[in-house]
Amino acid sequence: MKKYLVVAACLALAAGAVYAANKEQKRLENCGVVMQEVINVPDNIPKELLEKAECVIVIPSVRKLAFGVGASYGRGAMVCRTGEHFRGPWGAPAMYALEGGSIGFQIGGEATDLILLVMNDRGMESILSSKVKLGADASIAGGPKGRDASADTDAWMRAEILSYSRSRGVFAGVSLEGSTLRPDDEASEQVYGRAIKAKDIVRGEHTGVPGSGRHLVNVLQKSAPRNESERRASNQ
């Protein structure tokens, strides 16, 4: 009897591990779907900004727990350009979590998709190192969209992170000041099948892109294959 109980417990643990892995892989796949859909929006993230971004964070279905104000929570993935000075192709995704309070971009239980563009080394290093408070540890601003990019040049040049939201079919810049962003290493472990830190994923030269993350990486590679800000800087 005791032997059967041990076997049953082992099977239950194995089933739980498989479920967790499948859940995080599905989340990563959904990040690719959201990024593709946003790219297809006519008045979306300006191409010139996506081409200057060093990293992109996609967080599908962020949910608010109260009406108008209250705690919000979402999980997604970050993809960064590889190589020295981030001049290379887009690399493997690391899983991330967003937590915060008094975020006024949604109502009730409605889900909102978020996309964050990390525009420089300082913003990227802050996010890789540990849990960061947006607006304090890393400057953040609602990103311009479409033809509005030129009108808001000063705003996006000063910000380390530009933020966008999509809710009820509406796509716009959004403020996330006061929210926190942190590496979700437990989720990354489920995706990669081993314990691995976000910094090792992003900075590792030999970290392969998991199957569940290929769509996200391919969408970014097709939409913004080169880091145009670095290319212009190197040509000056």
Side-chain angles (χ1 to χ4, degrees), residues 15-29 190:
V18 169
Y19 172 77
N22 289 340
K23 182 179 179 181
E24 297 305 335
Q25 289 164 4
K26 183 64 177 178
R27 193 191 312 278
L28 183 52
E29 290 174 355
Q190 297 299 331

Side-chain angles (χ1 to χ4, degrees), residues 1-144:
M1 184 66 178
K2 186 179 293 186
K3 180 180 179 180
Y4 290 133
L5 290 176
V6 171
V7 171
C10 291
L11 289 174
L13 289 173
V18 169
Y19 172 77
N22 289 340
K23 182 179 179 181
E24 297 305 335
Q25 289 164 4
K26 183 64 177 178
R27 193 191 312 278
L28 183 52
E29 290 174 355
N30 196 26
C31 288
V33 172
V34 169
M35 193 71 217
Q36 180 70 73
E37 291 175 349
V38 166
I39 291 296
N40 291 338
V41 172
D43 196 20
N44 64 6
I45 299 171
K47 183 175 175 61
E48 63 182 283
L49 294 185
L50 188 57
E51 289 175 337
K52 291 177 180 177
E54 294 185 351
C55 304
V56 173
I57 302 170
V58 183
I59 304 181
S61 301
V62 176
R63 292 189 176 275
K64 180 173 286 297
L65 304 180
F67 186 88
V69 295
S72 297
Y73 184 76
R75 287 180 171 180
M78 179 173 78
V79 180
C80 297
R81 299 183 190 271
T82 58
E84 187 178 4
H85 305 302
F86 304 96
R87 292 189 180 128
W90 296 93
M95 305 303 284
Y96 268 76
L98 179 82
E99 301 154 343
S102 300
I103 303 174
F105 61 81
Q106 60 178 334
I107 297 174
E110 180 189 353
T112 299
D113 299 323
L114 295 179
I115 293 181
L116 311 181
L117 305 186
V118 185
M119 303 305 296
N120 53 43
D121 292 4
R122 182 178 175 186
M124 190 278 297
E125 291 295 345
S126 296
I127 291 171
L128 276 182
S129 60
S130 62
K131 182 176 181 178
V132 298
K133 187 172 184 178
L134 301 178
D137 302 321
S139 62
I140 187 168

